[in-house]
Amino acid sequence: MASRRALLLLAAAAILCVCAAQCRLAHAWKRSYVVYLGAHPYGRDAPLEEHERATESHHELLGSVLGSKQLAKDAIFYSYTKNINGFAAYLDEEVAAEMAKHPDVVTVMPSKMLKLHTTRSWDFMDMEKDGQVLPDSIWKHANFGQNVIIANLDSGVWPESSSFSDEGMAEVPKRWRGSCPGSAKYAVPCNRKLIGARYFNKDMLLSNPAAVDGNWARDTEGHGTHTLSTAGGRFVPRASLFGYANGTAKGGAPRARVAAYKVCWAGECATADVLAGFESAVHDGADVISVSFGQEAPLADTKSFFHEPVTLGSLHAAIHGVSVVCSAGNSGPFDDTVVNGAPWVTTVAASTVDRDFPNQITLGNNIHMKGMSLESSDLHSNKLFPMVNASGAALPNCSAELASNCAMGCLDPPKVKGKIVVCVRGGDIPRVMKGMAVLSAGGAGMILANGKMDGDDVEADPHVLPATMITYSEAVSLYKYMASSAYPVANISPSKTELGVKNSPSMAAFSSRGPSGTLPFVLKPDIAAPGVDILAAFTEYVSPTEVAADKRRSEYAILSGTSMACPHVSGVIGLLKAARPEWSPAAMRSAIMTTARTQDNTGAPMRDSNGKEATAFAYGAGNVHPNRAVDPGLVYDITPDEYFTFLCALGFTTKDLSRLSGGKFSCPAKPPPMEDLNYPSIVVPALRHNMTLTRRLKNVGRPGTYRASWRAPFGINMTVDPKVLVFEKAGEEKEFKVNIASQKDKLGRGYVFGKLVWSDGIHYVRSPVVVNALG
Ligand SMILES: *[C@@H]1O[C@H](CO)[C@@H](O)[C@H](O)[C@H]1NC(C)=O
Ligand SMILES: *[C@@H]1O[C@H](CO)[C@@H](O)[C@H](O)[C@H]1NC(C)=O
Ligand SMILES: *[C@@H]1O[C@H](CO)[C@@H](O)[C@H](O)[C@H]1NC(C)=O
Ligand SMILES: *[C@@H]1O[C@H](CO)[C@@H](O)[C@H](O)[C@H]1NC(C)=O
Ligand SMILES: *[C@@H]1O[C@H](CO)[C@@H](O)[C@H](O)[C@H]1NC(C)=O
C-alpha cells in the first residue's frame, strides 16, 4: 500500500517537472487536514522533551501511511503538542481517508473556512449610571477584572489603540506564558495591558495565500481590535467615530489583561490555524477565550459534530478550566441557524441597546419620517430638495437594478445633481459606498430604503453626505408620496444621539436563532448581549465603513453583529473569574444564564425584531444582567466527565473518549439521555408521551431553602420533584427531577416555551423550558 502511494507521489513529481500548469493540477488533489488524536497524557508543565516526543510520534504515524518519515515531516505544518494531540498536514484525499481508519485516530477533518460574524452598551446594563459606577456593580465586586486574562481569537489587534494603554497597570501575572513574537519590523508591541499577540497562518497560506497580509498579529481589518477592546479594553473618554457618537469607550473587564491570537485573515479563519490558536491560548494561560467567528451554516448532523475546530478547540479549553464564549452567527431571523453550539461554550445572540441615532425626513406633503444615520455634518440645510428614484436615473451602461442599488458609476449626473436620491439597500454594495456613489454623481443627499426582506432593521452609518436609512414600511409610504407628486421634495435633518429608547433591548434581526439542528438537546443560543451599533476600538489600516475608497480613518468604530455581542459576555465572564475564581466555566455560564433578563425597559417581555414576543430560540435564557450574575444563589455545574458522558450518548465510544480524557474515562453501559446534561436550560426536542429529566443544583451562596415554581409550556404538564431544596452550606449539591408530559389533544404544535424558577426569596434561578411534543 505504502509503496503504491510512493509511486503515485513519484508520478505526481514527474508531472511537476513537465509543466507548471500541470503542477497546479497535481496539487489540486491535496488540501489541509487536521488529524485529531485526542489529548496528551501529560499536563501543562510537561518538559519540552515530551512535546518533542509527541511531534516525533506524529511524524511516525503519518509516515506509516506515506511510506517515509521524511514525507510526513514535509506534509505536516502544525504538530499540536500542548493540550490538543494531533497534527495538521497537506495531504491527498486518499491518504486522509486512510489516516481516518487508523486505530489511533479519533477523527480527520478537512480544513474549512470559518467566517467572522460581522459606549452606551455597558451603561445600559446597569453597571453604572451617568458615568458613576453603581455600588452593587459587578465591576466593584470584581475590581474591574484585575489580573484576569482574556484571549481573543480573531483578526489580530491594533496595539497603538488607547484602549490597550497600560498606564497604571501592575506587572504581568507570573503564570502568563504568552508573548508577542515577530521580526522587529512586524512584531506587535505589547505592554502590561496587551500581554500577548500571536499569529497563525500556515493553513491559510496553503488554502488562500492572498488573504495573508503578513507574518504578524497586526489587525488590518478592525474586527479583532473591536472585539478585544469590547471584552477587555480600558475606559477611553471622548471616543467617537468621526466625531459622531461621542462617548466613553469601555471594555467589559477594563482592568483585565488581553491577548490577541490572529487566526483570521481577510475575514476567514482556516481550521488548522483556529485549532492552533485555541491550543496556544490555553497553554499561555488565558482565563477566557472569545471567539467571534464560526461556520456560515450549522453542521448538517451530530455525526460531523467534531469536524469543526471551535467545537474541538473549546472542548480542550473546557477540560483545562478555560471559558470559551462564542458568537451565535448572523444568519437570523430564521430558525435553526445558530452555530458554535457545543455544550461547553457560551453561545451569544445579539440584542439592541437603548441608544439610537435618529434623524428626520420631511417630505413636501409635510409628512415626517424617522430615519437612522450617524452623519450630522454641516452639509445639511433647511430647504427642501427635489427627489429622484435611483432606478430612474441609470446611466445607459447600467441596469435599472444596479442603479436602484446606487452602484458606483451607475447614476446619471444630470438626473441626480442637487437632488436627494432614493437608493435600495443591498446588492452586495456597502451602505456607505452607495452614499459615495450619490455624492460623486452630484447628489445632495441619500435616502437608503430597506427592501421587503430587510423589514424594520435599519443601521446607523457614518455616511459621506446628508443621508438616512428607513424601514421597509416607511419606504412603501415614501414611494407612494413620490408616485403621487409631480415634483417630490424632501429634507434630511442631521442625526442626534437618543438615549433611553423604549422597548430595549429587543432582538437584532440578524442574530442567529435556535433550535440547534446539529445538537437539538442543548438549548442554543445561551444568552443575548448588546450587538447593535457598538462603539469600540478599531484599526487605522482601513476605514471603519469597510469601503476601500473611503479614505477616512478612526480610532473607534461602530459595528454590529453577534461578533460584537460575544465579547460583552467574554468581559462579564472575565469579571466573574476575578470575583469568583473558584467557579468552573459551566458554573459561570449558569450564573449568567439563570440571572438573565427576559423583559425590556418598559417591563414588557423582550421583543423580537418583528415586534412579536421573542422566544428562548432568539435569546436563550435572556439578556445578560452582569450585576446579578455575581450572586446567582445556585448554579448548574458540569464537570468535564459529564461532557464525556454526553458524548457517549451522542455515539462516541469509550475508545475515542479515553483518548480525549487522557485514558481515564469510560462510557457508562447505558448513558443517560442527552437531555440530562446538567445544563441551566431544558429542551426536549422530540417528546413522546412523557420524559423525566434530572438536574443538579449547587449552592454558591448562603445556606437557604429554595422552592420551585414553573410555567409549563402550552399543552405540556410539568412537575418538579422535590419542590423544595434545603441547602445547609456553600458547595452543597442537590438533585431534582422534572417530569414533562404532553397533553394528548395538544400535540404537533412545534416548539412551546415555559420556565422553571428556584427561589429563596432573594435569588431567582431561572431556566427556560422548551418542548416539542410529537406524541
Ligand atoms: C465629546 O464630548 C466631550 C464632552 O463630553 C467634549 O469635550 C468633546 O469635545 C466632544 N468631542 C467631539 C469630537 O465632539
Ligand atoms: C458607465 O459609463 C460611465 C461613462 O459614461 C463610466 O464612468 C462608468 O464607470 C460606467 N459604469 C459602469 C458600471 O461600468
Ligand atoms: C422607486 O424604486 C423602487 C425600488 O426600485 C420601486 O419599488 C418604486 O416603485 C419606485 N418608485 C417610483 C415612484 O418610481
Ligand atoms: C409516561 O408514558 C408511558 C408510555 O410511554 C406511560 O405508560 C406512563 O404512564 C406515562 N407516565 C406519566 C407520568 O404520564
Ligand atoms: C395533564 O394535566 C391535566 C390537568 O391536571 C390532567 O387532566 C391530564 O391527565 C394530564 N395529562 C398528562 C399526560 O399527564
Side-chain angles (χ1 to χ4, degrees), residues 389 391 404 424 479 482-483:
N389 220 3
S391 55
S404 74
V424 179
Y479 294 141
M482 288 175 78

Side-chain angles (χ1 to χ4, degrees), residues 504-547:
S504 310
S506 64
M507 292 312 297
F510 60 75
S511 187
S512 287
R513 308 299 207 267
S516 162
T518 317
L519 204 59
F521 313 96
V522 180
L523 183 67
K524 291 283 174 173
D526 293 309
I527 190 96
V532 177
D533 292 336
I534 304 301
L535 179 74
F538 202 67
T539 178
E540 287 175 32
Y541 218 80
V542 291
S543 167
T545 57
E546 295 178 331
V547 176

Side-chain angles (χ1 to χ4, degrees), residues 395 397-398 402 408-410:
L395 279 171
N397 55 351
C398 290
L402 264 180
M408 188 56 92
C410 278

